[in-house]
Every structure is written in structure tokens, then in C-alpha cells.
Amino acid sequence: HMAKQRQGVYCLRYSGQVDHYHQRLLVIENRIRTAVEEKKIVPFYQPMFSTQTGDLVGVECLARWHDEELGWVSPEEFISIAEDINLIGKLGETILEQAIITAKKLSEFCPYKDVYFSVNASPYQLSEIGFVQKVKSLLEQYELPAKLLKIEVTESLFIGGNEYAINVLSELRALGVSIALDDFGTGYSAFAVLREGCIDILKVDKSFVQNMADNEQEKALVAEIIQMAHIMDLTVVAEGVETEAQRALLTEIGCDVLQGYLLARPMSEVEFCPYMNCAGAA
Ligand code: C2E
Ligand code: CA
Ligand code: CA
Ligand code: CA
């Protein structure tokens, strides 16, 4: 159904020429299955803060892979490969499970009990049969309240008015899991997606955040997006906040939650638990 356009690796197989870049993609493709099975791909946690109170309100779970041979492999590289080789379901599931385990520990040992965990889901993963059931059974298995889990989806999920996906989102919401629309404004159908009414959180893409400090039009646009989101009862998160100027501006125009290197970097579980002050966890 969702045609993929990453042709590089496949073309090269025919031509027989392999440059460094494509060589690396091939090695990733060869090693990623084992990495997933051995849980070498793990979530890192990046905190998000309320502009109103300054409190840490949630964390985004971002996949990280350190391979002995390849070094650090970026999710920008390996997620699309995992999608191509039909491994994204399994990969997404191990990230989700690890995130839920950490979330549970945190809710038991940490002073910030209501911190939510926001996990990215690829359109392919979300469209696999049994996804909702999997989420439900993991929440039950680890006894994590559903309100502490959010799923981040991108506009591409909705291409062609994907009714199956829209259904999946409403089933997740019926469980109590909220949905965030990631990278808002980078696709072509952002507003159409909002009108489906199955989104709770809007994440303004970092490209807007990074342009708005020195571009009046971009600033006005983000302000309008925030107003509109609030009319629709959505919470607005800005990602990629790197400077004080950006933080001040976003707070001024009513953004609810901030995420970015200025506030905190993504952390491994080992760094994250002490950061969160949870004796007993990790
Ligand atoms: P995303 O969901 O838009 O995640 C935000 C990206 O921005 C992350 O990159 C994060 O590390 C980075 N970031 C955070 N703060 C800042 C900042 O202040 N400035 C800048 N320039 N960047 C910042 P990362 O971790 O490399 O992930 C890249 C993308 O890979 C993610 O973009 C997401 O689309 C995908 N991804 C990551 N983990 C997963 C996963 O578990 N499952 C799926 N399906 N996709 C994932
Ligand atoms: Ca995300
Ligand atoms: Ca994003
Ligand atoms: Ca992105």
C-alpha cells in the first residue's frame, strides 16, 4: 500500500558498484536483525518541559543503536531500512517494551510520577495487524497506566485518507493512550489530518522553531498554528528548541511544552534515571 522510494541499495545491487555510503547501508541491513533480537537498539529519553510551570512533563523515546563495527547508527539511517526489510514492527515493539519498563520503574521510584512517555510509531508498524492488541498487552503486562503512554505519528500515516490507520488511532485512544502528530507542517495534509479528530498533541516541527527567531512571517505562522491548535483543544509541543530566544518566543506565543537541546539532550537509561532522581530504578 505505502510505496517506498528508497531505491539506492537496490539499484546498486544491479550495477555492482558500491560506494562507502551504500556499503554502509548494506552492512546496516545485514546487522540490524541481530541488533533488534539482542536488544542492542534501545530507547534514549529526551525530557519535555511545560512553559507554564517549568516542570518536566514528559519524555520522548528515541531509538539508539551502537554497533561494534559501525559505531553509532542514526535512526535517520536505520528506521527506513527496518521498514524496507519488514523489521519495523519488531524494532518498534522492542523500543515500546523497553520504554514501558522504564516508565513503570519511574512511576514507582521517581518523584515525578506523572511523566508521560512518548514513543514514535512508523506508519508501517502502526498498520500491522495486532498493533493495538500489542500495546494493550504490554501496558497490562507491566501494569503501566495508559495515560502515561503517548504514540507519535507522522502525517504520512494519513496519506490517501487511510481509514485503517484512523481506526487504529481511535482504538488506541479508547485504551487511554494519547496521540501526538509529529513534524507538524512538514507534510502536505497537516490540516486535513487535524480534521480527522484523532490527535491530542501537535508537535511543531523543529524547522519552524529554528526559523522563527529571525523571520517574522515564520513566527506569525507558528503563533497561528498554536492558536488554532488550542481552539481544537490540542496541546502544542515545540521540538528542536536550541536557544533562549526560541524559548522566550515560544513561551510568549503560548506554546505549552518545549523539547530541545537547550533544555535537555536525549539520555541513555543509565543517565536518565539519576537525572530523574529515582533511587531504586536503573
Ligand atoms: P523525530 O521524531 O522528529 O525526533 C526528534 C529528533 O530531533 C530526534 O532525532 C532528536 O534527537 C532531535 N532533537 C532533539 N532536540 C533537538 C534540538 O534541540 N535540535 C536538533 N537539531 N535536533 C534535536 P533522532 O533521535 O536522530 O531521531 C530522528 C528521527 O528518527 C525521529 O525524528 C523519528 O522520526 C525517527 N525515530 C527515532 N526513534 C524512533 C523509533 O523508535 N521509532 C520510529 N518509528 N522512528 C524513530
Ligand atoms: Ca517524534
Ligand atoms: Ca518530530
Ligand atoms: Ca523528524
Side-chain angles (χ1 to χ4, degrees):
H1 50 288
M2 278 174 252
K4 283 228 70 186
Q5 309 240 304
R6 198 179 63 86
Q7 294 167 333
V9 171
Y10 305 102
C11 297
L12 277 157
R13 284 192 185 130
Y14 302 128
S15 73
Q17 296 170 24
V18 177
D19 61 33
H20 279 297
Y21 170 74
H22 293 96
Q23 176 65 41
R24 183 173 162 90
L25 292 185
L26 289 173
V27 178
I28 292 173
E29 202 175 311
N30 287 332
R31 298 178 66 87
I32 191 168
R33 250 176 235 289
T34 322
V36 169
E37 270 156 29
E38 296 176 349
K39 294 203 165 52
K40 294 262 170 62
I41 305 187
V42 299
F44 270 39
Y45 303 96
Q46 185 178 33
M48 298 185 256
F49 298 86
S50 159
T51 52
Q52 290 283 309
T53 63
D55 288 348
L56 194 161
V57 290
V59 293
E60 179 170 4
C61 308
L62 294 156
R64 292 290 178 272
W65 176 19
H66 188 269
D67 178 80
E68 288 122 50
E69 209 172 290
L70 295 159
W72 287 101
V73 189
S74 157
E76 307 273 12
E77 295 181 276
F78 67 74
I79 295 292
S80 70
I81 293 178
E83 288 172 345
D84 287 348
I85 65 172
N86 201 16
L87 189 68
I88 192 66
K90 197 99 199 58
L91 169 55
E93 192 183 314
T94 65
I95 295 294
L96 180 64
E97 180 169 19
Q98 295 177 74
I100 288 178
I101 291 171
T102 304
K104 179 62 185 177
K105 276 197 256 183
L106 209 77
S107 72
E108 287 183 333
F109 294 112
C110 168
Y112 310 86
K113 293 203 183 314
D114 292 328
V115 168
Y116 63 79
F117 279 59
S118 205
V119 178
N120 294 285
S122 141
Y124 300 86
Q125 182 191 357
L126 208 122
S127 305
E128 281 184 5
I129 306 294
F131 177 73
V132 177
Q133 189 50 47
K134 193 74 226 174
V135 172
K136 184 167 185 273
S137 60
L138 286 172
L139 288 171
E140 283 168 2
Q141 183 182 346
Y142 296 103
E143 300 178 318
L144 185 77
K147 67 166 202 264
L148 297 183
L149 180 67
K150 320 243 183 246
I151 301 284
E152 300 195 3
V153 302
T154 51
E155 287 163 29
S156 62
L157 177 67
F158 298 87
I159 288 170
N162 193 340
E163 269 178 50
Y164 182 82
I166 290 163
N167 219 25
V168 168
L169 297 186
S170 46
E171 287 176 27
L172 288 169
R173 295 175 87 210
L175 292 180
V177 175
S178 310
I179 309 299
L181 181 59
D182 208 352
D183 304 341
F184 184 82
T186 58
Y188 292 97
S189 53
F191 292 92
V193 171
L194 292 186
R195 292 182 72 194
E196 293 292 344
C198 48
I199 300 295
D200 306 284
I201 298 160
L202 186 157
K203 294 191 82 170
V204 177
D205 190 67
K206 53 178 173 282
S207 59
F208 289 101
V209 172
Q210 272 144 29
N211 290 332
M212 62 186 287
D214 40 39
N215 182 330
E216 278 300 317
Q217 269 184 11
E218 200 93 338
K219 178 188 163 188
L221 182 61
V222 176
E224 291 295 326
I225 290 173
I226 292 173
Q227 275 198 24
M228 173 207 63
H230 285 163
I231 290 170
M232 300 180 85
D233 241 348
L234 307 177
T235 299
V236 183
V237 179
E239 58 176 29
V241 181
E242 293 179 352
T243 68
E244 274 303 340
Q246 291 162 356
R247 188 216 311 243
L249 221 55
L250 286 160
T251 305
E252 179 198 315
I253 61 179
C255 186
D256 304 297
V257 176
L258 304 181
Q259 175 184 4
Y261 298 156
L262 176 71
L263 302 127
R265 297 214 162 229
M267 289 170 259
S268 70
E269 201 203 337
V270 172
E271 298 167 286
F272 177 64
C273 287
Y275 175 91
M276 296 294 283
N277 258 313
C278 14

